Every structure is written in C-alpha cells, then in structure tokens.
Amino acid sequence: MSRTALLSIDVQRSFLARGYAEQPESALFEQRLLALIAACEQRQIPVVDVFHLAEEGPFSLASGLVTRLPFLNHQPALTIYKHVHNAFTDTGLDRWLRERDINQLIITGIRTEQCCETTARVASDLGYKVKFVTEATMTTPLEYGGQTLSVADLRLRTSAVLTDRFADICSVDDCF
C-alpha cells in the first residue's frame, strides 16, 4: 500500500521579487495548488513545504521573504530549507519520509523545469514513486540560444523527459 506526501516546492515570497505577481499564469497556478492541497488534506496526506535558501538576495533568510506566498494557509507537516535544486540533499527529507513509511510523492511548486523537475528525478532515483502535477507547477519563459522557450514549451519538455522514466505526469483531478 502506498503512503503519500505532497511536496510544495519553493512556493515562497522570494518570487515576488522576481515578478511572480505579474505572471499571467499566477492565478491559475494558485487555484490548482490550492485544489491539490485541499485534496491532500481531505485524504490526510501530509504536505511538506520546501523553501530555497541563498546567501543573499530575496532567497536569503535576511530578506524576510523565505515564507509561503500569501495565498497559502495550510499547516505543513514539515518545513525544510534547501540550498540546491532538489529537496533531498542535506535536508533530512528522505529520513523523515522513510520514518513514516512514505513511498510515493506528489510534486508541485515553482520552477517546473528546475527545482520541481530535479526533485522528481532525485526522488525517483531514491526509489519513490513520483506523481508530477505539471499543471500545478509554475515557471516563466526562458531565454536560451537566442530563442525564448514559453511556459507551455517548458512544461511539455519537462513532462516529456520525466514520463515513463522518473514520474507519472498527472493533473490535479487525476492525481488520486
């Protein structure tokens, strides 16, 4: 029997300093994340808040921005702080999950192709079954090689590289 936890990755006020509120997809992301958290709470699935820390800037503790974005009001079962792109390195997350016999993770959060995707890959390598809720992740367009990859491009790319390898891609409605 699977025991599940939801990882809410980097959904923190630090992104307000990077234009989060001005992003066209912010409202839809918030709606989907709130629905996902509510569904988890209804099923008594623990929610883990994961925050990214940096030495300075909006991701530093000194900034006062390393807290949940204002639309969130859930009570996390655990809050961890990471210094790298995945939620496992030097955070104690793996130990906490194993102590609770949790073997399946639902991944959501900010920067679909960065911290969310990297966490999914590491989780899979550690033996967790991963559900990646692409529609409940958020990112912004990315410039590379003189081209702009849109949010849709990045979501498609992430889904393509994770599916059948590292994670099952699912919607909020199909997650359970």
Side-chain angles (χ1 to χ4, degrees), residues 159-170:
S159 295
V161 298
L162 290 180
T163 196
D164 296 329
R165 294 169 193 86
F166 301 100
D168 293 328
I169 307 303
C170 60

Side-chain angles (χ1 to χ4, degrees), residues 52-57 59-61 82-83:
H52 190 85
L53 287 180
E55 296 281 328
E56 40 190 58
F59 289 86
S60 71
L61 286 176
K82 63 184 184 59
H83 297 275

